DNA sequence: TAGTGGTCTAGACCACTCC
DNA sequence: GAGTGGTCTAGACCACTAA
């Protein structure tokens, strides 16, 4: 554990338990540095993470002010693994593979995965459930190397993400997402147990490894009355942008 | 301009124009520090922003590798100001105020704005257009102090965000967003020129100032065939999370 | 004007990658 | 084992806030 992480974690906890109420100014960096027996620079790095999380104010020249209860950001995997998220919500996740097939990559696969058209692509359609209720459909396309690892998992494997993490060569490092809305097709409607035409939240994503190589892309559809997507942004960190022609 | 920003900007540009192609290793921090005449620590801070943007790799002990073309993140205001975004896209933004009224805050206003039920709230419904085509509806609720500033703007003011930034007491510092999908109501359909029931992307947001005080909240609806929302995340920065019961 | 945070320098030490 | 990046220390200097 880093010093900076340790300090950030300690102050986060103290804000949560009310030792530094909202509106109160934190001690100066110098005071905190003496308390934690580190230099002021180290304290500043720790406080910067809290500023980026949006729980303390970052005005220059003034003491840091507590803005709100800190919510440490979800780890990256938490937005890849539906199962992990569901368990944290104290819901029971389920997953049913509805179809699985090696196909010749079409132009969309070629563009999204950076492979040639016709290359081997593993296409899997999964229905995800919460407490037995169907809530989302994943239509995922895997690059050949990843598909071979996915293929060896059992169909009722609760978390593909966790299972793939065991695989040394496959590291999901970042992803790009586009959100839109779409009407449930007849197939969607049957799987999600809604009427055809029901509005669904459409989530297209491309997952990349540390070197920027696309590992998978997916078009997921959510029952929008049950599950949505939350995002935070700030002057310090703004990952959001509008796009025209979202596809979906 | 900071040293760190200057260095990050220079390297970003050099990657974009192909001086450091994808897959090539960047010079060491020591070499870069001599080139820019700063200390290695300063170079590292500059490179960290590129790592967070996802354009270079951040493996420890190895030289930084170019992953892809850098896309500097949008400034925070860019996701508040529809007009600024549209102009950057070389589209012509338009805005029409469809209704504007001071109302007594209902429970939703009380919760989202942190005011008492019955407090004065300015409620404005705007129709936004791109090149004359209607693309989104904003239903915004302003806290009283902000509403008084908004009220003084002319109805055809192209960018409320820009106009409000002139106001010294009102600083938008961060926001929370929830995305879902919803069916166009009769009113929505008439304004957006679509059929009732058409799936729309629903975007609920709460905008806060630096001290965490809510300034406005809004429920926006987008024509999902024209406009969507893109988000990037990585192991370094992950602002995304799923939520149950998105409202919408 | 005093205090504070933001930036940058200079350098020590360790963990890790690569040859 | 050489080279490299990540962490942390120590301190100078400046910009800004708050009284």
């Amino acid at each position: 554990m880093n010093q900076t992480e340790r300090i950030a974690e300690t102050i986060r906890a103290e804000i949560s338990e009310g030792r530094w109420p909202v509106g109160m100014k934190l001690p100066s960096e110098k005071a905190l540095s003496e308390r934690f027996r580190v230099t002021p620079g180290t304290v500043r790095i720790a406080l910067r993470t809290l500023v980026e999380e949006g729980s303390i104010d970052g005005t220059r020249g003034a003491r840091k002010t507590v803005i709100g209860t800190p919510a440490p950001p979800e780890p990256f995997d938490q937005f890849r693994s539906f199962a992990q998220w569901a368990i944290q919500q104290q819901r029971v996740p389920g997953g049913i593979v509805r179809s699985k097939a090696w196909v010749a990559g079409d132009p969309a696969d070629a563009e999204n995965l950076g492979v040639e058209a016709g290359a081997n692509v593993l296409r899997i359609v999964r229905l995800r459930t919460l407490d037995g209720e169907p809530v989302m459909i994943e239509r995922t396309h895997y690059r050949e190397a990843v598909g071979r690892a996915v293929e060896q998992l059992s169909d009722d494997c609760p978390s593909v993400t966790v299972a793939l993490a065991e695989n040394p060569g496959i590291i999901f490092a970042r992803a790009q997402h586009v959100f839109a809305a779409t009407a449930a097709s007849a197939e969607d409607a049957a799987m999600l147990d809604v009427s055809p035409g029901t509005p669904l939240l459409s989530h297209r994503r491309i997952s990349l490894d540390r070197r920027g190589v696309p590992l998978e892309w997916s078009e997921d559809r959510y029952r929008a009355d049950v599950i949505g997507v939350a995002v935070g942004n700030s002057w310090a960190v703004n990952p959001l942008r509008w796009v025209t022609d979202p596809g979906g």
Side-chain angles (χ1 to χ4, degrees), chain A residues 139-161:
Chain A
R139 293 186 172 90
T140 312
H141 302 236
Y142 296 96
R143 162 186 289 263
E144 185 168 10
V146 184
R148 277 202 290 264
V150 172
E151 210 176 13
Q152 292 171 3
L153 306 175
S154 75
D155 276 3
D156 55 359
C157 173
S159 176
V160 176
T161 301

Side-chain angles (χ1 to χ4, degrees), chain A residues 75-128:
Chain A
F76 174 69
D77 276 347
Q78 203 73 21
F79 193 70
R80 289 202 65 260
S81 175
F82 178 80
Q84 284 179 31
W85 170 78
I87 290 165
Q88 194 192 328
Q89 298 289 312
Q90 304 188 327
R91 309 286 288 268
V92 179
I96 306 164
V97 171
R98 300 301 294 261
S99 72
K100 176 158 77 169
W102 286 97
V103 298
D106 61 17
D109 294 323
E111 182 182 340
N112 291 322
L113 294 179
V115 299
E116 292 177 4
N120 283 334
V121 170
L122 180 62
R123 182 170 189 275
I124 295 186
V125 178
R126 287 189 197 85
L127 177 64
R128 298 285 198 175

Side-chain angles (χ1 to χ4, degrees), chain A residues 46-75:
Chain A
L47 292 182
R48 178 163 51 197
T49 72
L50 294 184
V51 170
E52 288 174 357
E53 290 169 21
S55 67
I56 63 177
D57 173 47
T59 309
R60 179 170 185 158
R63 294 260 282 274
K64 294 271 192 290
T65 311
V66 177
I67 287 174
T69 303
E74 309 286 339

Side-chain angles (χ1 to χ4, degrees), chain A residues 7 10-12 14-15 18-48 50-51 55-59 61-67:
Chain A
I7 296 168
T10 303
I11 296 178
R12 240 199 307 260
E14 289 179 353
I15 292 175
R19 176 160 169 189
W20 312 111
V22 172
M24 173 170 273
K25 292 187 188 312
L26 287 179
S28 71
E29 293 182 355
K30 186 165 174 296
L32 289 172
S33 71
E34 288 166 1
R35 172 181 163 199
F36 289 105
R37 305 195 179 282
V38 297
T39 58
T42 306
V43 169
R44 185 167 319 110
I45 293 172
L47 292 182
R48 178 163 51 197
L50 294 184
V51 170
S55 67
I56 63 177
D57 173 47
T59 309
R63 294 260 282 274
K64 294 271 192 290
T65 311
V66 177
I67 287 174

